[in-house]
Amino acid sequence: MHIKTKTFQITPKELRSLLTVDYYRRMKITFILLAILLLINIIFSVLQNRFDWWLIYFVALMAYFVSVPLFFQVQKRNSTLNFQNRYCEIDENFFAVFYEDGSIVKLNYSHFIQVTKKADYYFLYMTKGQFHYLPVAAFESEKDIHRFDLFLQSKQLIKLW
């Protein structure tokens, strides 16, 4: 298997937007639980005709979780290489990224701990906070996408089903 992608680039604004959407998807259950607890707390406070300090704690906690994406500092946390034009070459042994300035990053698949696939992109995680972004649109064909998915599944980095 040898796959070469098209040249692609992501801006800090686009990456921040992707990370924000991903954060809200992952936190959806937490938001629902906090909203339910907040609603129950409000109902009991109104029925008992008294002020409950837990209401302020829940509102503050909810505000904190909702505002976390505002603190994402994508440019400071990521290398400037991540925002350059680049393309990838993928084979059975290595995942290589070729940047427009001539830099090359060649990684063995054992360096990846997890791969997350969304509809438009892959995040290939090396640590919990460090990843390589790979858009699905960068692949030449659907066949290449399918081969890459099956290969990642064989390496136990992604679950397709």
Side-chain angles (χ1 to χ4, degrees):
M1 170 188 80
H2 182 78
I3 299 171
K4 183 177 177 181
T5 66
K6 301 175 197 171
T7 301
F8 62 92
Q9 179 183 14
I10 189 166
T11 64
K13 186 177 180 180
E14 291 170 333
L15 184 58
R16 182 180 177 158
S17 167
L18 289 176
L19 292 174
T20 300
V21 169
D22 187 53
Y23 169 79
Y24 285 133
R25 271 192 202 129
R26 286 184 289 120
M27 294 298 290
K28 181 172 41 174
I29 293 174
T30 303
F31 289 144
I32 291 169
L33 289 174
L34 283 175
I36 290 170
L37 290 173
L38 181 64
L39 187 61
I40 290 171
N41 203 346
I42 290 172
I43 291 171
F44 281 131
S45 293
V46 169
L47 290 177
Q48 294 175 355
N49 201 18
R50 68 180 170 88
F51 180 75
D52 196 359
W53 284 100
W54 284 104
L55 183 62
I56 292 176
Y57 296 135
F58 279 125
V59 169
L61 190 62
M62 191 78 151
Y64 169 75
F65 281 129
V66 168
S67 65
V68 164
L70 297 175
F71 305 116
F72 288 165
Q73 296 180 351
V74 173
Q75 281 180 300
K76 290 183 181 177
R77 291 184 63 205
N78 290 305
S79 169
T80 55
L81 282 177
N82 290 333
F83 305 115
Q84 288 186 12
N85 282 334
R86 61 191 177 270
Y87 69 91
C88 299
E89 288 186 8
I90 303 160
D91 64 22
E92 293 85 9
N93 301 315
F94 295 102
F95 179 84
V97 184
F98 297 85
Y99 295 93
E100 75 177 343
D101 70 353
S103 301
I104 300 171
V105 175
K106 194 170 186 179
L107 298 166
N108 191 317
Y109 290 99
S110 63
H111 291 112
F112 295 116
I113 59 170
Q114 177 186 0
V115 175
T116 303
K117 181 183 180 185
K118 301 296 180 187
D120 298 330
Y121 59 89
Y122 293 90
F123 281 151
L124 295 98
Y125 288 93
M126 294 172 292
T127 65
K128 187 174 180 175
Q130 186 180 13
F131 58 86
H132 282 281
Y133 166 79
L134 178 61
V136 171
F139 286 94
E140 294 287 338
S141 67
E142 288 288 327
K143 182 181 176 185
D144 286 345
I145 296 168
H146 184 67
R147 287 185 351 193
F148 184 58
D149 286 343
L150 290 175
F151 178 72
L152 291 174
Q153 185 181 20
S154 73
K155 294 286 187 182
Q156 298 178 348
L157 292 170
I158 193 171
K159 294 180 182 175
L160 295 178
W161 316 111

